[in-house]
């Protein structure tokens, strides 16, 4: 990251701090000195937005964010209260997380303490945007529950997972907020900023004391996948610990919670969709949880069928367009550099896995999906989930391939961007014909 980029992301973080400061006091945790040794602010002094703006104009001995803290920040008790509210709101979450055989995740939260810069990061992250504390606590509940199922008796990992779950997205504080809006249109270039958040969070936590350091390692890996097509480092099987995979699945589940019923069935399909993404113990833990909570997790029959019928033809057309454009660009890709050919071959493996998932539904033979009307509600839901996942994975594949070509085969980037542009143009032409 360049010095200019570093300065910009610091401003984003400090803006969030000062927004929180409008409701809570932000104060200097130590004397703040300029690079020439002049004391600018004394320890304990309240820092408002105007003072912040003046301070960032100075060259300081230590980064400003290392010298400030938010008063009355996130505590274990507050997390526990949020957790209890969520368990009361979502019956399926309660069924997953509460058991007479395991320690209560709510109690584990309540007994936890957060201090220093970790507490400031958690406070600023969870309060800079509505819903962030709920999401972080939900991921923590799910991660703790899955870990207790997979690793009974290993209590040390629970404490690390709790910190990792609550802080897994703190790197977003250093990303331009416009990329984080729900309706943001993220192309490959914009996605590069989002994909940096595990690296940023790891950098923020790795040098802190206590549980933050081991938690930072899990955060760095929580978007990795065992087949090598995760990010930010493209790690493969044997390089991603199960604790990081647990965090990954917990975040996946947490993101699905507000998208309707059938949460666990969605998760079971997602972890099994691409062969080799997750380890067998992780897949088995999700499947077992789904079986145990099947009744609570039931979804609407009509909703699933309508979703599947709407998506089936569109997805078939999308896959057909991709194959057509790939064939047209094959001569150019064959002349590309060895690094690009290696990246493209890996991407093709991923694409073929996605196509196999599509074929598993039978919709490649009967894309109108009418036959689904005669299938069981369980089958209808599973097909609808597979189609949603395939659509997401296709977009993810394009974004990740673009990012990897930038890093490892930049000379071939123009050819890849022409390919992606042609994909979009072909889709637009087809939409115009069917309008």
């Amino acid at each position: 990251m360049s010095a200019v980029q570093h300065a910009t992301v610091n401003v984003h973080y400090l803006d969030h701090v000062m927004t929180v400061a409008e409701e809570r006091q932000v104060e200097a945790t130590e004397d703040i000195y300029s690079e020439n040794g002049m004391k600018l602010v004394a320890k304990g002094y309240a820092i408002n937005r105007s003072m912040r703006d003046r301070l960032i104009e100075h060259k300081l001995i230590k980064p400003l964010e290392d010298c400030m803290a938010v008063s009355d920040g996130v505590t274990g008790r507050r997390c526990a209260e949020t957790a209890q509210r969520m368990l009361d709101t979502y019956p399926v979450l309660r069924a997953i997380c509460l058991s007479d055989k395991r320690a209560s995740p709510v109690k584990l939260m309540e007994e936890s303490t957060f201090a220093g810069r970790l507490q400031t990061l958690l406070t600023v992250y969870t309060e800079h945007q509505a819903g962030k504390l709920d999401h972080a606590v939900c991921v923590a509940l799910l991660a703790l529950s899955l870990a207790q199922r997979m690793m009974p008796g290993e209590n040390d990992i629970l404490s690390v997972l709790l910190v990792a779950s609550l802080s897994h997205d703190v790197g977003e504080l250093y990303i331009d907020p416009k990329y984080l809006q729900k309706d943001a249109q993220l192309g490959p270039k914009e996605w590069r900023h989002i994909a940096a958040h595990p690296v940023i969070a790891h950098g923020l936590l790795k040098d802190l004391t206590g549980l933050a350091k081991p938690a930072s390692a899990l955060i760095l890996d929580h978007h990795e996948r065992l087949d090598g097509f995760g990010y930010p480092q493209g790690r493969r099987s044997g390089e991603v610990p199960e604790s990081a995979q647990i965090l990954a699945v917990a975040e996946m589940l947490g993101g699905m919670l507000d998208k309707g019923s059938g949460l666990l069935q969605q998760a079971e399909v997602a972890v099994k969709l691409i062969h080799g993404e997750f380890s067998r113990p992780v897949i088995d833990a999700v499947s077992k949880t789904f079986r145990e909570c099947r009744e609570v997790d039931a979804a609407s029959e009509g909703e699933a069928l309508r979703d599947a019928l709407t998506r089936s033809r569109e997805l078939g057309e999308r896959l057909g367009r991709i194959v057509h454009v790939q064939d047209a660009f094959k001569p150019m890709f064959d002349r590309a550099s060895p690094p690009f050919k290696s990246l493209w071959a890996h991407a093709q493996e991923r694409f073929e896995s996605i196509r196999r998932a599509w074929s598993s539904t039978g919709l490649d033979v009967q894309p109108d999906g009418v036959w689904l009307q005669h299938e069981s509600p369980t089958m209808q839901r599973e097909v609808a989930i597979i189609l949603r996942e395939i659509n997401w994975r296709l977009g993810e594949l394009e974004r990740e391939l673009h990012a990897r070509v930038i890093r490892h085969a930049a000379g071939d980037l123009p050819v890849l961007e022409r390919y992606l542009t042609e994909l979009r143009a072909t889709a637009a032409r087809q939409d115009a014909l069917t309008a």
Side-chain angles (χ1 to χ4, degrees):
M1 182 179 291
S2 70
V4 173
Q5 288 173 314
H6 184 66
T8 301
V9 295
N10 279 348
V11 169
H12 292 317
Y13 170 72
L14 292 171
D15 278 341
H16 294 311
V17 172
M18 300 319 300
T19 298
V20 172
E22 292 173 3
E23 297 182 1
R24 283 183 171 82
Q25 181 171 306
V26 174
E27 61 184 35
T29 55
E30 59 187 272
D31 293 341
I32 300 176
Y33 291 90
S34 67
E35 200 173 53
N36 64 10
M38 179 182 297
K39 184 161 76 172
L40 302 175
V41 178
K43 178 180 178 180
Y45 197 86
I47 299 176
N48 58 26
R49 188 179 293 273
S50 175
M51 179 178 290
R52 185 287 311 258
D53 291 342
R54 294 196 301 273
L55 286 170
I56 61 176
E57 293 177 358
H58 290 267
K59 291 184 178 180
L60 304 178
I61 290 179
K62 292 181 65 174
L64 182 56
E65 62 266 34
D66 285 348
C67 305
M68 303 188 307
V70 180
S71 300
D72 190 23
V74 170
T75 63
R77 178 178 291 278
R78 186 174 168 205
C79 289
E81 291 170 352
T82 302
Q84 189 59 58
R85 173 173 54 78
M86 298 195 73
L87 292 174
D88 293 341
T89 302
Y90 299 100
V92 66
L93 188 62
R94 186 178 188 88
I96 294 169
C97 297
L98 297 187
S99 168
D100 294 336
K101 300 176 183 178
R102 299 186 295 270
S104 166
V106 178
K107 186 176 181 182
L108 292 173
M109 288 187 196
E110 189 169 18
E111 293 173 349
S112 298
T113 57
F114 313 112
R117 193 176 182 196
L118 175 61
Q119 186 191 41
T120 299
L121 283 168
L122 289 175
T123 302
V124 176
Y125 164 68
T126 56
E127 297 195 11
H128 84 281
Q129 190 174 334
K132 292 297 185 182
L133 181 60
D134 282 10
H135 173 69
V137 168
C138 179
V139 172
L141 283 169
L142 292 162
L144 292 174
S145 177
L146 286 171
Q148 287 176 315
R149 292 168 185 268
M150 291 178 59
M151 307 171 181
E154 297 188 29
N155 295 329
D156 289 346
I157 192 60
L158 297 180
S159 300
V160 176
L161 266 171
L162 175 58
V163 173
S165 300
L166 292 174
S167 53
H168 70 277
D169 276 343
V170 296
E172 290 181 356
L173 291 169
Y174 283 71
I175 295 172
D176 192 324
K178 69 183 180 183
Y179 297 135
L180 301 173
Q181 299 299 318
K182 286 187 177 181
D183 58 349
Q185 298 297 309
L186 299 177
K189 292 180 180 178
E190 292 80 11
W191 182 251
R192 288 172 57 205
H193 293 268
I194 301 296
H197 78 271
V199 177
I200 297 171
H202 174 257
L204 292 170
L205 271 66
K206 67 181 179 66
D207 294 325
L208 302 185
T209 57
L211 298 171
K213 183 178 179 65
S216 72
L218 302 188
I219 293 170
L220 182 63
D221 287 346
H222 81 281
H223 282 291
E224 301 288 357
R225 299 294 182 262
L226 302 189
D227 65 348
F229 226 90
Y231 64 87
Q233 299 181 84
R235 295 187 188 276
R236 289 182 175 268
S237 180
E239 300 176 321
V240 185
E242 284 190 347
S243 48
Q245 294 180 62
I246 289 171
L247 179 57
V249 173
E251 185 185 37
M252 182 189 300
L253 280 162
M256 294 174 177
L257 191 63
D258 282 326
K259 295 180 181 178
S261 50
L263 167 70
L264 280 168
Q265 189 175 11
Q266 293 179 60
E268 186 185 38
V269 170
V271 297
K272 294 193 297 187
L273 185 71
I274 304 297
H275 178 71
E277 271 195 317
F278 293 97
S279 68
R280 175 50 57 184
V282 170
I283 293 172
D284 289 346
V286 174
S287 295
K288 183 178 179 183
T289 304
F290 172 49
R291 291 193 299 271
E292 291 174 356
C293 306
R294 186 187 298 269
E295 292 183 6
V296 181
D297 194 43
S300 159
E301 297 179 19
E303 174 190 356
L305 179 59
R306 288 191 299 272
D307 192 15
L309 293 176
T310 299
R311 293 175 183 270
S312 60
R313 185 178 294 278
E314 294 175 354
L315 184 53
E317 291 172 351
R318 183 179 184 183
L319 288 166
R321 288 194 302 268
I322 292 173
V323 172
H324 175 74
V325 176
Q326 284 180 353
D327 289 344
F329 274 75
K330 186 177 185 302
M332 284 178 275
F333 291 162
D334 287 345
R335 295 193 296 270
S337 67
F340 179 89
K341 289 180 180 178
S342 177
L343 292 171
W344 181 252
H346 194 191
Q348 284 298 99
E349 291 175 10
R350 181 77 163 187
F351 181 64
E352 289 306 314
S353 294
I354 293 172
R355 288 181 72 186
R356 284 194 293 273
W358 164 247
S359 295
S360 73
T361 66
L363 291 168
D364 56 337
V365 179
Q366 300 183 57
D368 60 11
V370 174
W371 60 272
L372 268 177
Q373 296 179 10
H374 308 293
E375 295 295 332
S376 69
T378 299
M379 173 63 77
Q380 292 171 359
R381 287 196 298 271
E382 183 165 326
V383 170
I385 293 165
I386 290 174
L387 298 184
R388 288 198 299 271
E389 282 293 316
I390 289 175
N391 261 319
W392 164 254
R393 300 304 177 89
L394 288 172
E396 179 187 53
L397 175 60
E398 290 179 11
R399 292 188 295 264
E400 185 60 23
L401 178 61
H402 188 275
R404 293 183 183 207
V405 168
I406 288 174
R407 292 197 301 269
H408 304 296
D412 296 297
L413 183 61
V415 175
L416 178 68
E417 292 189 331
R418 283 176 58 193
Y419 162 76
L420 295 175
T421 299
E422 182 58 26
L423 274 182
R424 291 189 288 272
T426 304
R429 288 193 295 268
Q430 191 161 7
D431 288 345
L433 289 173
T434 57

